[in-house]
Amino acid sequence: MGVISTSSRDAESRPVMARVPLVKAAVLGAVILLLVLLVVQPFGWVLFNSLHDDATGAWTLNNYARVVQSAELIEPLVNSLILAAATALIAVGIGVPLAWLVSRTDLPLRRTIRVLTLTAFVTPSFIGATGWILLAAPNSGWLNSAWRWLAGEGAGAPLNIYSMAGAIFVCGIYTVPYSFTMVSSALDEMAVELEDAATTLGCGVLRTMVSITIPLAAPAVIASFILSFIQGLTLFGVPAFLLTPTGIPVVTTKLAEFYQLFPPEIYLAAAYCMPLLLVTGALFWMRRRYLGRKQYVTISGKTRAGRQIRLGGWRWPALFLALLVPLVSVFLPYAALLMVSLTRAWGQGLSWENLSFYWYWWAIFGNSETHTAIVNSLVYSTLGATLCVALGTLVAYIVERRLMVGASLLGAVATVPIVIPGIVLSVGFFAAYTRAPLNLYGTPLLLIAAFAATFLPIAYSHGGSILKGIGPELERAARSLGAGEARTFLSITLPLMGGGLVSGWFLVFIPIIRELSVAVFLITPKTNVMTTLIYNAKDGGNYEAVCAMSVLLLLITLFLVAVARPLAGLTGARRTSRKTATAAGVPS
């Protein structure tokens, strides 16, 4: 039996395409084709277009020369780097200490702070910018008005959200959840025996943190800094809302200008995407180089909860500081959005006569464009998330189970969009699929494909992490009993992935439904989604409608988040009981 088992295992690990069944070959072919269409082709068209002249269509390097030599094009690049660096510093500078307070200390209301931080995470940053326009606009902002009321009409406006400082503030507070979530997860999963040992040997809190906790959490801190930097570099909504009115350009708003020109400078826009790609690629390369020299491994048995660090008299000051993030990212902007959405005319102030649900009725029933955008958002997000998770899971399965020669290359392609900013990928889809023979411009398929491609790395990495926790023994048993690869995957692996796939689907669905930068170049009036409709309505100055639509989008997103967690947990709880039954039901 030992010889048979060994030869069977060897045959399993040997990726010989000659023995691949027809169905398996068809699935592999479909996966490869989808990766080419969703990732390779759009990026290839960005590179191809960047080497052509807008006027003549001839091959040229002039677009790159203009990017390097034109002060008008260099200024947005510099502004984008400033915005990105400041955003990352704020996110890490606030998010990391906050994660440590919640995960390692006896801070009061830790669970509440986690929930409120998640609420900030699912809030689109451009909606947060809208809330802060209502609060901190120089002339009409409520906080400035309150200051003038207290200090006198001649006191001026201490806050000006229409500035680089204002954009940095908004980008920073809505990026803090990224670093908080990543670092707090690392701290929660970290083996705490080393920290306890350091404390036992006489190390104080500060020395233990510097010598033990920070080195072990370094990969998460670095990853959160890079992700926050990319967020600040590639955001479109916040700069469009806060910087465009003051004439401060960044790369993303400059790209939008290229498309608004007549005729549009599409090829120059493609070349202008390359600095974003180079910066993001360089960041991930430096991360790999830095972490590649170090090993962050703890060798221990089952981890246990560590002793909570007692803050003593610092508990309440620390709680006050911890609640500042939810205050400025959730409570204040949400309150401003809600109050304006409940007024018939914002300029008439708050009064019983002016209170009305009119704009909600208008958004849901009275305006066909809004109704269409709500339906489009839900449909496109559902289909995009489903395509993304299905493709990401299949690629992860192929890579983890080594089902073909070069499987790791498929994983690399699926990961590529993580270094391609969403707005660059949007430019690529516009270039690749708005021409013959497909000519998909104005069709839902274009947006669904772009959404799926943008968040494919999330689905792939999530699927891979699930599969790493599922041993291949049951799959081998199924194949030894005559089940094919497809039958084995559907009857064994897929049920075992259950709850993880549900949570992964929501993990992709939520960012899709609040995505703006990917959609902004690809939508038409018929394919408008909620984010683009809010963006267009804000340009028209109809803040009552903007706020009502923003509140509806937030309610939909928060409702889905509330549903996701128990649903994923319920599905996951059944996974163990299915395991034996599924194995027993494999056909011979």
Side-chain angles (χ1 to χ4, degrees):
M1 290 300 292
V3 174
I4 295 173
S5 176
T6 302
S7 63
S8 174
R9 190 179 301 111
D10 291 341
E12 172 64 26
S13 63
R14 194 165 57 243
V16 182
M17 289 301 295
R19 64 183 176 84
V20 177
L22 183 60
V23 174
K24 180 179 175 180
V27 172
L28 291 175
V31 168
I32 294 171
L33 178 61
L34 282 173
L35 287 176
V36 170
L37 293 176
L38 294 179
V39 180
V40 178
Q41 184 159 315
F43 175 67
W45 272 105
V46 172
L47 183 61
F48 179 83
N49 283 351
S50 71
L51 297 171
H52 287 75
D53 183 77
D54 278 297
T56 64
W59 288 86
T60 182
L61 292 174
N62 187 53
N63 293 327
Y64 291 100
R66 286 180 62 184
V67 171
V68 174
Q69 297 172 0
S70 172
E72 183 184 355
L73 297 181
I74 291 177
E75 182 189 0
L77 285 170
V78 174
N79 289 338
S80 288
L81 291 174
I82 293 172
L83 179 61
T87 297
L89 289 173
I90 291 174
V92 172
I94 296 176
V96 173
L98 184 61
W100 179 80
L101 285 171
V102 170
S103 299
R104 285 289 188 270
T105 73
D106 61 346
L107 182 76
L109 303 178
R110 294 188 302 279
R111 183 179 178 84
T112 301
I113 291 172
R114 283 185 186 272
V115 172
L116 291 174
T117 305
L118 178 62
T119 303
F121 177 77
V122 302
T123 303
S125 56
F126 69 92
I127 289 181
T130 303
W132 274 99
I133 288 173
L134 302 172
L135 292 165
N139 297 323
S140 58
W142 292 346
L143 296 179
N144 286 324
S145 298
W147 172 256
R148 283 191 290 266
W149 180 75
L150 291 171
E153 287 299 325
L159 302 176
N160 182 11
I161 201 66
Y162 293 114
S163 62
M164 178 60 78
I168 289 172
F169 168 73
V170 173
C171 289
I173 62 174
Y174 287 103
T175 310
V176 165
Y178 288 92
S179 59
F180 171 83
T181 302
M182 296 178 73
V183 176
S184 63
S185 296
L187 292 173
D188 290 340
E189 296 172 5
M190 186 184 298
V192 298
E193 286 79 5
L194 290 176
E195 293 175 310
D196 289 348
T199 303
T200 302
L201 293 173
C203 291
V205 173
L206 183 60
R207 186 173 180 182
T208 301
M209 185 190 305
V210 171
S211 59
I212 303 294
T213 310
I214 291 179
L216 290 177
V221 174
I222 294 171
S224 67
F225 180 89
I226 292 174
L227 184 59
S228 301
F229 189 99
I230 293 173
Q231 282 290 308
L233 190 68
T234 59
L235 280 176
F236 173 74
V238 173
F241 280 27
L242 302 182
L243 296 181
T244 299
T246 61
I248 301 176
V250 294
V251 172
T252 52
T253 56
K254 195 68 179 176
L255 284 171
E257 288 183 21
F258 291 141
Y259 280 79
Q260 293 166 357
L261 296 173
F262 186 80
E265 294 184 305
I266 297 175
Y267 295 164
L268 178 59
Y272 204 53
C273 289
M274 291 304 165
L276 295 182
L277 189 60
L278 290 175
V279 171
T280 54
L283 285 170
F284 278 96
W285 177 81
M286 287 188 292
R287 172 182 176 268
R288 185 172 182 178
R289 289 278 295 179
Y290 176 76
L291 296 180
R293 300 196 212 104
K294 304 176 182 291
Q295 288 187 348
Y296 296 88
V297 179
T298 55
I299 301 174
S300 64
K302 184 178 179 181
T303 62
R304 58 180 175 78
R307 293 192 299 267
Q308 286 185 349
I309 297 171
R310 297 189 178 278
L311 296 175
W314 290 100
R315 291 184 76 214
W316 301 110
L319 177 62
F320 173 77
L321 293 175
L323 288 175
L324 283 179
V325 174
L327 177 68
V328 298
S329 61
V330 177
F331 291 120
L332 287 176
Y334 275 39
L337 292 169
L338 184 62
M339 284 190 286
V340 172
S341 69
L342 291 174
T343 59
R344 184 65 181 261
W346 176 39
Q348 296 179 9
L350 294 175
S351 64
W352 286 110
E353 294 76 14
N354 197 30
L355 290 177
S356 172
F357 287 98
Y358 169 78
W359 292 108
Y360 289 99
W361 180 91
W362 171 87
I364 299 173
F365 304 108
N367 184 275
S368 59
E369 287 186 356
T370 309
H371 184 268
T372 300
I374 293 173
V375 173
N376 287 347
S377 290
L378 293 172
V379 173
Y380 299 169
S381 300
T382 300
L383 295 177
T386 303
L387 172 62
C388 184
V389 171
L391 179 59
T393 302
L394 285 174
V395 173
Y397 184 70
I398 292 169
V399 172
E400 292 296 326
R401 300 299 190 252
R402 295 183 299 167
L403 298 185
M404 61 175 287
V405 174
S408 58
L409 180 60
L410 295 185
V413 173
T415 309
V416 163
I418 200 171
V419 299
I420 303 178
I423 200 162
V424 177
L425 203 60
S426 176
V427 170
F429 269 86
F430 185 91
Y433 298 117
T434 58
R435 62 184 75 215
L438 295 178
N439 197 19
L440 297 178
Y441 186 67
T443 65
L445 183 59
L446 183 61
L447 276 168
I448 293 168
F451 286 145
T454 302
F455 299 101
L456 181 60
I458 297 177
Y460 167 69
S461 61
H462 188 76
S465 66
I466 299 172
L467 286 167
K468 281 182 173 65
I470 300 176
E473 291 78 12
L474 286 176
E475 298 168 14
R476 291 170 181 165
R479 282 189 289 271
S480 69
L481 293 173
E485 196 71 57
R487 183 69 178 270
T488 299
F489 177 77
L490 293 175
S491 60
I492 299 290
T493 312
L494 195 61
L496 291 176
M497 297 180 75
L501 288 180
V502 173
S503 63
W505 189 88
F506 280 102
L507 195 65
V508 174
F509 179 90
I510 290 167
I512 288 179
I513 201 171
R514 65 189 187 90
E515 178 60 39
L516 174 63
S517 59
V518 173
V520 71
F521 293 149
L522 304 178
I523 56 98
T524 63
K526 290 184 179 179
T527 57
N528 248 329
V529 291
M530 285 291 288
T531 53
T532 54
L533 196 65
I534 292 170
Y535 170 73
N536 294 332
K538 190 269 175 186
D539 277 352
N542 188 351
Y543 276 94
E544 297 88 353
V546 168
C547 291
M549 290 187 289
S550 298
V551 171
L552 286 175
L553 180 59
L554 290 171
L555 289 175
I556 292 171
T557 307
L558 293 173
F559 171 77
L560 291 170
V561 170
V563 169
R565 187 168 182 177
L567 183 59
L570 180 62
T571 310
R574 295 174 179 169
R575 193 186 308 170
T576 304
S577 62
R578 288 178 180 169
K579 189 172 183 179
T580 305
T582 306
V586 175
S588 58

